[in-house]
Amino acid sequence: MCEFNIIIVSILKDKVRPVFPFTAIVGQEEMKLALLLNVIDPKIGGVMIMGDRGTGKSTTIRAIADLLPKIEVVQDDIFNSHPSDYDLMSDIVKTQVGRGDNVPTRLIDVPMVDLPLGATEDRVCGTIDIEKALTEGIKTFEPGLLAKANRGILYVDEVNLLDDHLVDILLDAAASGWNTVEREGISIRHPARFVLVGSGNPEEGELRPQLLDRFGMHAEIRTVKEPSLRVKIVEQRSKFDSNPYTCLQEFQEQQDKLKSSIVAAQNRLSDVTIDYDLRVKISEVCGTLDVDGLRGDIVTNRAAKAFAAYNERAKVHINDIKAVIILCLRHRLRKDPLETIDSGNKVQQVVNNILNS
């Protein structure tokens, strides 16, 4: 083995646990696209992934987190505060920066936090030590999962089985970018900017329409039926399980290329524009489908811009809208909790009538 390869393998072995490479995942294009667009623009609002058991939902979500470049955080800060972006700082760091203090930083992997089904509200939001606050006048905060997930990804497997109250808290934090904990008149607020990813099996029930609507995108995945593709997936997984570091080395170039594309898209995103007539067509589609509220319009505009940025364009094309609009709208058509989510055929028919006219 040459010296270069030895170095790569050595670096890879420093990882606590090897993660299956994102670029090695075969099929499931809807899920992969939805995740990519959400990491390019977290303001899309997260993604709900529904599909059969054993279709690689968890593997893909962990793979996208492992693919992302390291982020700079303030050293010893429990909220992963950004050293220069005011909106991503905790109050303590804001005070330090305001005083002109030297704020040491370090690079960390993008946080990937799993929320267990049995989690309590205190575990999710964090807790305040009331006794210490009352006796010593010191606000002592024990951070929860929302603090740890700041500037990263919060993954909830079987989100459709999670208590609605907790889902509401997660969605509120994801939408506002902040988490507020209040106990006995004492309040602590901290940044909680994360990509919320929920997954589940539709056989175990769907989320209520009111909660489902607040996820930016909805991806459906199905078990692959084509024999040759199933064989390829099994071979890929077996290769990784038998020798993960060799597999990671094999896909290193593709991983690096995709990582560069994501960073470039994030930097390009703010300059991407969408013409007025295309915005009107998006709203016309939403109106024709009787989508409640304006969340569908907003998310589709954001997703189309992210898709254009990913494809190195400064202006949204009509094909960018066609590529993302089903992911953004299909879950917003369900009005009755007893209804099933449209597979996308209804959205596709309206899109063909309006966008092709």
Side-chain angles (χ1 to χ4, degrees):
M1 186 181 288
C2 70
E3 184 180 350
F4 177 72
N5 287 344
I6 291 172
I7 292 171
I8 290 179
V9 171
S10 175
I11 292 170
L12 291 171
K13 284 185 176 179
D14 287 339
K15 288 182 176 291
V16 176
R17 188 181 75 175
V19 177
F20 194 82
F22 188 84
T23 51
I25 295 169
V26 179
Q28 310 302 6
E29 299 305 323
E30 267 198 13
M31 173 170 56
K32 290 194 290 188
L33 176 60
L35 289 170
L36 280 171
L37 296 181
N38 270 274
V39 297
I40 290 170
D41 182 6
K43 290 183 179 178
I44 286 173
V47 56
M48 179 68 180
I49 301 167
M50 295 297 281
D52 303 329
R53 294 180 295 273
T55 45
K57 297 188 289 290
S58 299
T59 298
T60 308
I61 293 158
R62 288 184 174 83
I64 190 73
D66 187 65
L67 178 70
L68 300 176
K70 290 179 181 291
I71 58 172
E72 187 179 15
V73 301
V74 174
Q75 196 166 303
D76 300 325
D77 181 80
I78 58 176
F79 306 114
N80 303 324
S81 290
H82 196 287
S84 57
D85 189 333
Y86 205 71
D87 290 335
L88 297 175
M89 291 181 190
S90 64
D91 290 339
I92 294 172
V93 174
K94 284 178 183 176
T95 302
Q96 291 174 334
V97 171
R99 288 198 306 252
D101 294 350
N102 178 42
V103 180
T105 65
R106 65 190 180 103
L107 292 176
I108 64 167
D109 291 329
V110 169
M112 167 70 189
V113 177
D114 284 278
L115 191 147
L117 271 180
T120 62
E121 183 177 340
D122 284 349
R123 179 80 179 95
V124 173
C125 299
T127 56
I128 299 172
D129 189 333
I130 298 298
E131 185 178 346
K132 200 165 188 177
L134 294 176
T135 57
E136 301 178 28
I138 301 171
K139 285 185 181 179
T140 304
F141 181 65
E142 179 65 34
L145 296 176
L146 294 182
K148 293 177 181 177
N150 187 38
R151 301 179 64 199
I153 296 173
L154 181 60
Y155 173 46
V156 190
D157 194 13
E158 307 293 355
V159 66
N160 45 332
L161 302 181
L162 197 65
D163 182 77
D164 279 357
H165 173 59
L166 282 180
V167 177
D168 227 2
I169 289 172
L170 295 175
L171 290 166
D172 280 342
S176 66
W178 292 91
N179 174 46
T180 304
V181 182
E182 295 181 344
R183 299 287 186 275
E184 307 296 333
I186 299 170
S187 176
I188 287 182
R189 182 171 179 259
H190 69 80
R193 297 278 184 92
F194 53 84
V195 175
L196 179 61
V197 181
S199 70
N201 182 350
E203 292 176 2
E204 295 165 344
E206 296 275 7
L207 280 177
R208 288 190 291 115
Q210 296 89 334
L211 293 176
L212 194 58
D213 174 67
R214 294 176 63 186
F215 277 91
M217 306 180 90
H218 183 284
E220 276 190 353
I221 52 177
R222 293 284 177 262
T223 303
V224 174
K225 302 297 183 186
E226 186 184 336
S228 60
L229 201 54
R230 290 173 74 110
V231 169
K232 186 176 181 182
I233 294 169
V234 171
E235 286 177 347
Q236 205 77 280
R237 186 71 220 191
S238 299
K239 185 192 296 184
F240 178 80
D241 290 339
S242 62
N243 196 332
Y245 301 108
T246 300
C247 184
L248 288 171
Q249 186 180 339
E250 180 185 336
F251 285 92
Q252 192 65 44
E253 187 177 339
Q254 296 176 45
Q255 291 280 99
D256 290 342
K257 186 177 178 182
L258 182 54
K259 186 183 293 187
S260 298
S261 296
I262 291 171
V263 172
Q266 290 171 334
N267 294 333
R268 193 182 294 114
L269 183 62
S270 60
D271 297 324
V272 176
T273 60
I274 178 168
D275 288 342
Y276 177 77
D277 62 325
L278 290 181
R279 298 200 301 271
V280 170
K281 284 185 179 292
I282 289 171
S283 292
E284 189 179 347
V285 170
C286 293
T288 304
L289 289 168
D290 194 26
V291 173
D292 291 336
L294 295 174
R295 198 172 277 126
D297 307 54
I298 294 168
V299 169
T300 305
N301 276 273
R302 282 194 174 281
K305 284 184 176 182
F307 189 77
Y310 179 63
N311 287 280
E312 302 179 2
R313 286 193 293 274
K315 197 171 185 178
V316 172
H317 187 271
I318 197 163
N319 288 332
D320 299 326
I321 299 171
K322 290 178 179 179
V324 304
I325 196 165
I326 291 176
L327 291 168
C328 299
L329 298 183
R330 68 146 68 93
H331 57 301
R332 305 182 197 280
L333 308 187
R334 183 167 159 256
K335 313 288 185 182
D336 189 331
L338 298 178
E339 290 179 358
T340 56
I341 292 179
D342 181 72
S343 64
N345 293 333
K346 189 174 180 181
V347 178
Q348 190 65 64
Q349 288 173 2
V350 173
V351 167
N352 290 340
N353 291 338
I354 293 174
L355 296 188
N356 292 336
S357 60

